[in-house]
Amino acid sequence: AKSSIESMESKKIKWLIYTVVVGLIPILSRLLVWGVTKGNVVEIFVPSDFISFGLVLHISNINEIEHFDNIDRNWKTVQNGTSICFIAFYSILYSLTLFGDKFIDQSAIKFCTIGLAIISFSLSYSVYDRVSNHRTETQGVSA
């Protein structure tokens, strides 16, 4: 039982590093650049960084679900559909950022993308948790 818990912790750390931290690279890079520049040269938060984060999470969800056969097909369909919808939302928001301040309220886009990124993180964690728990259950049965 202890090795199963250690295995779960290892998988959680890998998910955090390979998915979450990689997805956060644009945000973390901008924070670093913002921290070492003078004045208001660089904005601390921009929508495109949060859009990138959300896209990484949902693409990871689709990849994780598609490569896992021993799980409820309806759940897989719902999760993949949800991720595809979020990818579409992020694409629309990204397109809107290209218009600039003259036509679009960039502040509203920023808060919208931050909110979506938080929701995406929650969804991605729930997908990871369900898939990894299911793997542990099926491995325990076969052992």
Side-chain angles (χ1 to χ4, degrees):
K2 188 174 182 177
S3 65
S4 176
I5 293 171
E6 289 171 357
S7 175
M8 286 289 292
E9 290 300 316
S10 174
K11 289 177 185 177
K12 188 175 288 189
I13 290 168
K14 286 181 181 179
W15 175 79
L16 281 169
I17 292 170
Y18 296 153
T19 302
V20 177
V21 173
V22 167
L24 286 172
I25 287 173
I27 296 168
L28 298 174
S29 298
R30 182 173 297 278
L31 284 172
L32 177 65
V33 171
W34 176 82
V36 298
T37 55
K38 294 180 179 180
N40 292 331
V41 177
V42 175
E43 284 188 60
I44 190 167
F45 297 115
V46 295
S48 60
D49 295 345
F50 290 93
I51 290 168
S52 297
F53 178 59
L55 289 172
V56 166
L57 292 173
H58 288 289
I59 291 166
S60 175
N61 286 354
I62 291 169
N63 183 56
E64 187 70 28
I65 292 168
E66 284 304 308
H67 290 92
F68 192 63
D69 295 326
N70 301 330
I71 204 159
D72 179 28
R73 284 183 172 275
N74 290 331
W75 181 83
K76 283 176 67 169
T77 301
V78 168
Q79 293 307 315
N80 280 337
T82 300
S83 287
I84 290 167
C85 286
F86 270 82
I87 290 169
F89 292 148
Y90 283 121
S91 298
I92 292 166
L93 288 169
Y94 181 73
S95 297
L96 290 171
T97 66
L98 300 176
F99 284 105
D101 295 339
K102 186 175 179 182
F103 300 106
I104 304 295
D105 181 355
Q106 294 296 324
S107 177
I109 298 289
K110 183 188 315 182
F111 289 113
C112 187
T113 56
I114 290 170
L116 281 177
I118 292 167
I119 293 168
S120 295
F121 176 78
S122 299
L123 288 171
S124 186
Y125 182 79
S126 71
V127 166
Y128 156 78
D129 191 52
R130 172 128 183 213
V131 169
S132 61
N133 284 339
H134 192 75
R135 278 190 181 132
T136 303
E137 291 169 6
T138 57
Q139 288 171 354
V141 171
S142 63

